[in-house]
Amino acid sequence: MNEPELTGALQGLEPLTASHLTRYKSAVSESGALGWGYYFPYLLARGKAGRSVVLVGEDSDTLCLYQWERGETSDKLELIVPPIPFDHDVLKRCLERANEFNGDRKARILRVDEQDADTVADHPGLKVRQRRAQYLFAPANYEDLSGRRLRTVRRQVAAFEELEGIAIRPMEASDRDACHALLREWKRTHRDAHGTAGGAGTTGRGIDLLGTLPDR
C-alpha cells in the first residue's frame, strides 16, 4: 500500500493537491499566519511517494492539515500546523483523531506560527518547544531597496546584476532537469562542507511541482 486507506480515523480527509489552493489561501489570509510551515508549495512537497502523504480536512469552517507517515512497525498521523484559523475546539478534535489513529495519546503539532505559540500552549495537555526559528520574506518589504537597513541586500543585488550571462525569468516545467542537476551539485558541495544535504530533498520535491500550480 503506497497511500493510507481513508477509513476509520482518516475518514473525511483527502490528499492535499493544487486544487485546494484557493480555499487554503482564504483560510491562511483569515488567520494571518506567515510561518514557513504554512507555505503551500512546502506543504505539497512534504508528500513523499510511498512514505508520507499530506491530508486535509475541514471542521467548522476551519482547515485541518495532517501528515500520514509510514513507519517500520506502524503508520503515524500528526498535525502539521494547528487548525487554520485557530480554534481550540477544532484542535481538540484534530488531536483526538490523530491519537485514535496512532493508538496512543502522543499526537504532536509539527509547526506552530510564532503568533499562535502562546495560544497553542494554553491548550490542555500541550507544550510548545522551539526547535528552530524560520521565516518568510514579505515581497512588499523589498520593492524599494533604499535606506541603510537594506544596503547589504542592495550591494548583493548590484553584484549579481554585473555577472555576465545571467538572465532572470519565471521557472517553468521545462526547467526541471536543469534545476535537479544544479541541486545535485549544490547538495554535493553542501554535504562536503557541512555533512548534511541542507534540505535538498524538500527542494527537489518543490522542483517537481514546477508547472503544477496556478500563478495565483
Side-chain angles (χ1 to χ4, degrees):
M1 181 182 67
N2 292 327
E3 294 188 358
E5 294 183 6
L6 301 180
T7 59
L10 302 184
Q11 188 170 358
L13 304 180
E14 58 186 22
L16 184 72
T17 68
S19 66
H20 294 102
L21 178 58
T22 300
R23 174 67 184 97
Y24 179 80
K25 288 178 67 174
S26 174
V28 170
S29 177
E30 184 178 349
S31 73
L34 292 173
W36 173 249
Y38 294 84
Y39 185 45
F40 193 75
Y42 164 75
L43 292 171
L44 290 179
R46 288 189 69 96
K48 305 172 186 177
R51 295 171 53 193
S52 64
V53 178
V54 175
L55 300 172
V56 60
E58 192 151 357
D59 184 333
S60 301
D61 295 324
T62 298
L63 286 185
C64 307
L65 289 168
Y66 304 84
Q67 178 161 304
W68 170 90
E69 191 162 11
R70 179 179 297 286
E72 293 184 3
T73 58
S74 62
D75 301 337
K76 193 162 189 174
L77 187 70
E78 296 186 299
L79 277 73
I80 299 177
V81 293
I84 314 171
F86 185 82
D87 183 289
H88 276 291
D89 291 334
V90 175
L91 176 58
K92 178 181 179 181
R93 291 192 288 272
C94 289
L95 292 170
E96 288 174 348
R97 180 196 289 268
N99 284 330
E100 179 184 350
F101 181 86
N102 299 329
D104 57 29
R105 305 296 298 174
K106 300 178 181 179
R108 299 183 302 164
I109 306 172
L110 302 180
R111 295 185 180 275
V112 176
D113 197 62
E114 183 177 17
Q115 69 173 12
D116 294 328
D118 291 340
T119 304
V120 172
D122 286 339
H123 193 86
L126 288 183
K127 295 181 180 180
V128 175
R129 177 167 59 94
Q130 179 172 313
R131 298 177 61 188
R132 57 184 180 272
Q134 295 181 319
Y135 59 91
L136 290 177
F137 284 116
N141 294 340
Y142 296 88
E143 292 177 353
D144 179 4
L145 297 181
S146 63
R148 182 181 180 86
R149 183 177 68 88
L150 296 176
R151 63 182 179 180
T152 299
V153 177
R154 191 163 59 249
R155 286 200 302 266
Q156 292 172 339
V157 170
F160 182 81
E161 290 177 337
E162 292 174 359
L163 296 175
E164 295 184 1
I166 298 296
I168 300 175
R169 61 173 176 78
M171 296 174 68
E172 300 174 352
S174 58
D175 296 319
R176 285 196 189 102
D177 290 345
C179 289
H180 275 300
L182 180 61
L183 179 62
R184 286 193 295 270
E185 178 63 21
W186 182 91
K187 177 181 176 181
R188 182 191 63 77
T189 303
H190 192 279
R191 189 176 293 281
D192 289 345
H194 304 286
T196 69
T202 299
T203 302
R205 292 190 295 277
I207 292 172
D208 290 335
L209 294 173
L210 286 175
T212 66
L213 292 176
D215 293 335
R216 297 184 180 275

